[in-house]
Amino acid sequence: MQQHERATFDTAELAVALSYYDLGVIESITDFPRGSRRSPKVGIVCERGKFLLKRRSVSSARPERVRFVHRVQSHLIAAGFPVAKLVPSRDAGPTLVQIRDHLYELFEFIAGQPYQRTKAETYDAGVTLARFHQATGNFATSPALPTPRGDYHDAAGVRTGLGAIGSTLSSHDSFTGDEAELASLIQFVLERYDRAAEAINAAGWSTWPERIIHSDWHPGNLLFRNQKVVAVVDFDSVRYSRRAVDVANGALQFSILAGGDPATWPDHLDEERFAAVLAGYGSLLSISDDERRCVPSLMSEALVAECVPPITETGSVGRWAGFRVLQMVRRKLTWLESNAERLMRRAAG
């Protein structure tokens, strides 16, 4: 199965990149191997404090897209939202530095702990998502920086990806010996995705509130301290869409039970954590009955949409064979559909 080696900085590159910033005497630089393997990061301890330098490739991140993300982050910082501050280049220059084919960003470092799966942390993750939506409610778009749109709901790209898995990847090593079952497996996943999309559209999707959403609300993008969120990271997917997309994806990501071989993942979700996300969100912002009723359907769509792109690209999801992941998706989709009403009753109680 294909794995991308983690990209790194070399000494000369670091010297050039850091020359664009006024950091004073640098005491230490250490690798920070988290997040995307294609975007290397280093932690910096220097005269002005602690910082995190991140590099992107122009081929994978268009400069105008990153500048839009920086506008959103600056808006959030001004609103008092917990996000690492962007550091401008020398002489109050831009926060995005481009050197040939690479883009560089420097952030103030925020110390925090990863998610420990507690109910208190999960509740605060829901509260923080509501704070994010509150803060972006008055975000002003700019013609100079096109606003990204689109999401995982009723997405043609998801359907195209599923079709590609069946038509072009059936001979991939990930599916060797499973070709006969692959077609029926893909058909099942596609039917459930279509069924969820139809239910959401019938519930009035086109009338639901829109704003800037995070679009990747999961435990790995939040840092905690004393059971509270102290920082939200990775805004690369922010876009204009309906807030229910974030709520449902957050409910899925914070309640999914995973780890190890996907064949061993349980069908069910952690219902206590599922309810905690919605309770936390609802403590600040109310959602309509139609939005709430469609959360399980949106979760089904999100589950499919997350797995299809990597399987289409590599035949796998991380180190796991695509076929085994799709089998896991089928089991969880079946459970979600069968338990949707009970889940929402628990969340309401």
Side-chain angles (χ1 to χ4, degrees), residues 289-305:
D289 290 341
D290 287 336
E291 289 174 292
R292 180 178 292 275
R293 188 171 66 252
C294 288
V295 165
S297 293
L298 282 163
M299 292 168 68
S300 294
E301 286 186 307
L303 179 61
V304 176

Side-chain angles (χ1 to χ4, degrees), residues 212-234:
I212 295 294
I213 66 169
H214 186 272
S215 198
D216 196 18
W217 199 261
H218 70 76
N221 284 337
L222 278 68
L223 293 174
F224 296 84
R225 196 181 307 138
N226 298 323
Q227 306 283 305
K228 298 289 186 179
V229 176
V230 293
V232 178
V233 301
D234 194 350

Side-chain angles (χ1 to χ4, degrees), residues 93-271:
T95 53
L96 180 65
V97 170
Q98 182 169 353
I99 305 173
R100 293 184 291 278
D101 294 332
H102 288 148
L103 306 173
Y104 299 88
E105 305 161 278
L106 188 68
F107 302 89
E108 292 187 0
F109 182 80
I110 298 179
Q113 302 298 320
Y115 179 59
Q116 299 298 313
R117 300 182 177 87
T118 68
K119 182 179 178 180
E121 288 176 325
T122 308
Y123 180 90
D124 202 58
V127 172
T128 306
L129 179 58
R131 288 182 60 193
F132 180 93
H133 290 165
Q134 284 180 325
T136 59
N138 62 349
F139 178 82
T141 58
S142 168
L145 292 174
T147 304
R149 293 176 179 268
D151 50 63
Y152 59 75
H153 167 63
D154 204 6
V158 173
R159 296 184 176 92
T160 300
L162 281 168
I165 293 170
S167 63
T168 65
L169 289 176
S170 58
S171 60
H172 191 279
D173 290 348
S174 298
F175 303 114
T176 300
D178 299 309
E179 297 86 352
E181 186 182 345
L182 180 61
S184 62
L185 180 56
I186 291 173
Q187 184 62 31
F188 178 93
V189 173
L190 178 60
E191 287 176 356
R192 290 304 189 276
Y193 182 83
D194 285 343
R195 188 182 300 178
E198 290 170 5
I200 295 162
N201 290 335
W205 164 266
S206 62
T207 66
W208 294 355
E210 292 183 293
R211 65 188 62 234
I212 295 294
I213 66 169
H214 186 272
S215 198
D216 196 18
W217 199 261
H218 70 76
N221 284 337
L222 278 68
L223 293 174
F224 296 84
R225 196 181 307 138
N226 298 323
Q227 306 283 305
K228 298 289 186 179
V229 176
V230 293
V232 178
V233 301
D234 194 350
F235 292 84
D236 294 354
S237 298
V238 292
R239 63 194 58 242
Y240 196 72
S241 186
R242 289 165 178 81
R243 62 176 183 169
V245 168
D246 266 352
V247 175
N249 187 56
L252 173 68
Q253 298 293 343
F254 279 87
S255 65
I256 195 167
L257 296 169
D261 188 337
T264 68
W265 294 10
D267 300 356
H268 62 278
L269 304 176
D270 186 312
E271 297 184 29

